[in-house]
Amino acid sequence: MAIRIRYFASLRETMGRTSEDINPEGIATVADLWKVLDEGRPLPDRVLCAVNQEHATATTLVHDGDEVAFFPPVTGG
Amino acid sequence: MAIRIRYFASLRETMGRTSEDINPEGIATVADLWKVLDEGRPLPDRVLCAVNQEHATATTLVHDGDEVAFFPPVTGG
Amino acid sequence: MIQTISLRDHPFDPYAELSAFTTQLKAERQLYGAESHFIGTMRNFNEGAAVSTLWLEHYPGMTEGEIARIIEEERKNLGFGPALVIHRIGQVAPGEPIVVIALFSTHRRAALEGTQRIIERLKHEAPFWKKERTPQGDRWVESNTKG
Amino acid sequence: MIQTISLRDHPFDPYAELSAFTTQLKAERQLYGAESHFIGTMRNFNEGAAVSTLWLEHYPGMTEGEIARIIEEERKNLGFGPALVIHRIGQVAPGEPIVVIALFSTHRRAALEGTQRIIERLKHEAPFWKKERTPQGDRWVESNTKG
């Protein structure tokens, strides 16, 4: 399936990229997706995520065409 | 002793006066003072008072030269 | 500590007042990351009756003193900085602001909670009395609502 | 319901924005006896270090969507009316406002509590990230404080 990945703030700097389009196989959740992106490592607690621009968790399901974002705790306001 | 009395809002209208200077004898508290002003009737619960421009109660002592005010519940803001 | 308590017998523009007060803080403004305001405005309806004008009576001297005391007590509790309170007296028309409160603080909690506590206490402790002019005649407002 | 959510990449005058929003309400303004504002401003000090400028990153689309969702949920709970939220993005200098919130309601509780809840939730739910430029170098702000 086709997934659009986005990274923000310190995580964007750590990952060394702003976004990427990937076509992973055999993944169901955000946690599965992260492993593909980060060389098999599990999703760290301090990394937050959104699916299609809504807050999500490690167990949120991802589908073909989704936009999935990863970012550190938010600090606006 | 000499006391300056002031009335506000609906109580001013009920009493028919804005202020008065009186020289009562044998009174100690705000409650005593009210009886002098209102033909011996006790201070009603709904009448609030201030002595020298600070909130007071029926048992607050009054002294020569004091300004004592009576008024209904406040409704500002 | 910069502080203004002002009773006004004429309409005022609350946004211009807030802007002017902030300007008065000058460089000190940068100490405060948080600023909280409350504006109470006269509605044209109250308890089911149309209200055409309001008369606000007060106790000159004590009213200002009570507002200052409330601010002082809350500042001691909460630790906010500069404070502005403007309150109308005399005749007020629908749509006109009656009260403006502004507080500045380093962190948001002091300004936000202080504003809430000051408007609540002002309504129950500061000597003001409202008389409403309605089509059924004049009536004194008997008490303020909680919250 | 009149509502504005606006992200700005340039400084703005919060008092002029509040005034303009109120003007936009026209006659509806008279329905609301209470109006509550919060302004968050950039200080020139944070956690012991002088801060010269701030960089505010956001997630275009999601940021506006999250703010709208927060307002909608709180409006359902509290029952306030018109709402304004302005938030800076990009480069911010000390003394410049970062966020402005304004709520209008019939009675004071909805506007006051709504303002407090919206700033709290915005700080913990809306996707913004602050990077500070200090004499010791740039650093990402790691988390927002409670209250």
Side-chain angles (χ1 to χ4, degrees), chain A residues 9 12-13 55 67 75 77, chain D residues 57 59 125 128 130-131 140:
Chain A
R12 173 175 50 71
E13 293 179 348
H55 286 294
E67 175 176 295
T75 55
Chain D
E57 185 166 328
Y59 186 167
E125 298 172 35
F128 291 104
K130 287 192 184 103
K131 192 177 202 175
W140 288 99

Side-chain angles (χ1 to χ4, degrees), chain B residues 11-70:
Chain B
L11 191 68
R12 174 175 51 71
E13 292 180 350
T14 309
M15 300 301 280
R17 50 199 190 268
T18 296
S19 65
E20 56 191 315
D21 294 302
I22 62 168
N23 295 279
E25 294 302 324
I27 68 140
T29 66
V30 168
D32 298 339
L33 181 62
W34 178 266
K35 283 190 184 162
V36 173
L37 298 167
D38 197 26
E39 299 169 1
R41 283 186 283 267
L43 182 67
D45 282 348
R46 67 179 188 286
V47 173
L48 306 180
C49 57
V51 174
N52 297 328
Q53 307 200 352
E54 293 186 5
H55 287 293
T57 66
T59 58
T60 303
L61 297 175
V62 295
H63 301 95
D64 185 48
D66 280 355
E67 174 176 296
V68 181
F70 295 98

Side-chain angles (χ1 to χ4, degrees), chain D residues 3-4 18-19 24 35 49 51 63 73 78 83 91 98 101-102 114-115 125 131 133 135 140 142:
Chain D
Q3 181 161 305
T4 299
L18 291 166
S19 180
Q24 208 187 317
E35 176 179 347
V51 178
T63 303
E73 289 179 10
L78 295 167
Q91 188 162 306
I98 293 174
I101 297 171
T115 301
E125 298 172 35
K131 192 177 202 175
R133 179 154 294 169
W140 288 99
E142 294 198 352

Side-chain angles (χ1 to χ4, degrees), chain A residues 6-13 48-56 67-77, chain D residues 57-62 66 69 87 98-99 119 122-131 140-144:
Chain A
R6 304 183 68 169
Y7 302 105
F8 290 94
S10 57
L11 191 68
R12 173 175 50 71
E13 293 179 348
L48 306 181
C49 58
V51 174
N52 297 328
Q53 307 200 352
E54 292 187 4
H55 286 294
E67 175 176 295
V68 181
F70 296 98
F71 44 80
V74 303
T75 55
Chain D
E57 185 166 328
H58 76 297
Y59 186 167
M62 179 170 169
E66 277 294 296
R69 186 182 59 81
H87 202 293
I98 293 174
V99 59
I119 184 61
L122 186 149
K123 282 181 172 264
H124 293 94
E125 298 172 35
F128 291 104
W129 300 273
K130 287 192 184 103
K131 192 177 202 175
W140 288 99
V141 177
E142 294 198 352
S143 69
N144 266 334

Side-chain angles (χ1 to χ4, degrees), chain C residues 14-112:
Chain C
Y15 310 105
E17 299 285 343
L18 291 166
S19 181
F21 186 77
T22 304
T23 303
Q24 207 187 317
L25 298 183
K26 299 201 186 80
E28 195 186 326
R29 176 72 190 83
Q30 282 192 30
L31 298 174
Y32 306 109
E35 175 179 346
S36 172
H37 312 150
F38 178 79
I39 303 177
T41 297
M42 186 188 159
R43 285 176 298 146
N44 53 3
F45 257 83
N46 193 27
E47 288 174 19
V51 178
S52 59
T53 62
L54 199 64
W55 172 260
L56 260 162
E57 185 166 328
H58 76 296
Y59 186 166
M62 180 171 169
T63 303
E64 297 91 325
E66 277 293 298
I67 296 172
R69 185 181 59 80
I70 292 167
I71 294 173
E72 211 40 65
E73 289 179 10
E74 293 302 326
R75 182 182 281 128
K76 205 172 283 177
N77 282 341
L78 296 167
F80 51 77
L84 167 70
V85 174
I86 305 174
H87 202 292
R88 282 292 300 280
I89 54 176
Q91 187 162 307
V92 183
E96 290 178 4
I98 294 174
V99 58
V100 171
I101 297 171
L103 297 181
F104 294 75
S105 59
T106 309
H107 299 289
R108 64 190 178 280
R109 185 175 161 271
L112 286 163

Side-chain angles (χ1 to χ4, degrees), chain A:
Chain A
M1 58 183 167
I3 306 283
R4 169 83 169 170
I5 309 290
R6 304 183 68 169
Y7 302 105
F8 290 94
S10 57
L11 191 68
R12 173 175 50 71
E13 293 179 348
T14 309
M15 301 300 279
R17 49 199 190 269
T18 296
S19 64
E20 56 191 316
D21 293 303
I22 62 167
N23 295 278
E25 294 302 324
I27 69 138
T29 66
V30 169
D32 298 339
L33 181 62
W34 178 266
K35 283 190 184 163
V36 173
L37 298 166
D38 197 27
E39 299 169 0
R41 283 186 283 266
L43 182 67
D45 283 348
R46 67 180 188 286
V47 173
L48 306 181
C49 58
V51 174
N52 297 328
Q53 307 200 352
E54 292 187 4
H55 286 294
T57 67
T59 58
T60 302
L61 298 175
V62 295
H63 302 93
D64 185 47
D66 280 355
E67 175 176 295
V68 181
F70 296 98
F71 44 80
V74 303
T75 55

Side-chain angles (χ1 to χ4, degrees), chain D:
Chain D
M1 191 61 70
I2 293 172
Q3 181 161 305
T4 299
I5 296 168
S6 174
L7 303 183
R8 305 287 181 85
D9 59 6
H10 281 84
F12 60 89
D13 175 344
Y15 311 105
E17 299 285 344
L18 291 166
S19 180
F21 186 76
T22 305
T23 303
Q24 208 187 317
L25 299 183
K26 298 200 186 78
E28 196 186 326
R29 177 71 190 83
Q30 283 192 30
L31 298 174
Y32 306 109
E35 176 179 347
S36 172
H37 311 150
F38 178 78
I39 303 177
T41 296
M42 187 188 159
R43 285 175 298 147
N44 52 3
F45 258 83
N46 192 29
E47 288 174 19
V51 178
S52 59
T53 61
L54 199 65
W55 173 260
L56 260 162
E57 185 166 328
H58 76 297
Y59 186 167
M62 179 170 169
T63 303
E64 298 91 324
E66 277 294 296
I67 296 173
R69 186 182 59 81
I70 292 168
I71 295 173
E72 210 40 65
E73 289 179 10
E74 294 302 326
R75 181 181 282 127
K76 205 172 282 178
N77 281 340
L78 295 167
F80 51 77
L84 167 70
V85 174
I86 305 174
H87 202 293
R88 282 293 300 280
I89 54 176
Q91 188 162 306
V92 183
E96 290 178 5
I98 293 174
V99 59
V100 171
I101 297 171
L103 297 181
F104 294 75
S105 59
T106 310
H107 299 289
R108 64 190 178 280
R109 185 175 163 272
L112 286 164
E113 289 198 10
T115 301
Q116 208 155 357
R117 288 191 53 80
I118 288 171
I119 184 61
E120 204 61 41
R121 292 189 59 182
L122 186 149
K123 282 181 172 264
H124 293 94
E125 298 172 35
F128 291 104
W129 300 273
K130 287 192 184 103
K131 192 177 202 175
E132 294 174 339
R133 179 154 294 169
T134 77
Q136 289 76 44
D138 293 359
R139 61 176 186 194
W140 288 99
V141 177
E142 294 198 352
S143 69
N144 266 334
T145 52
K146 270 273 177 206

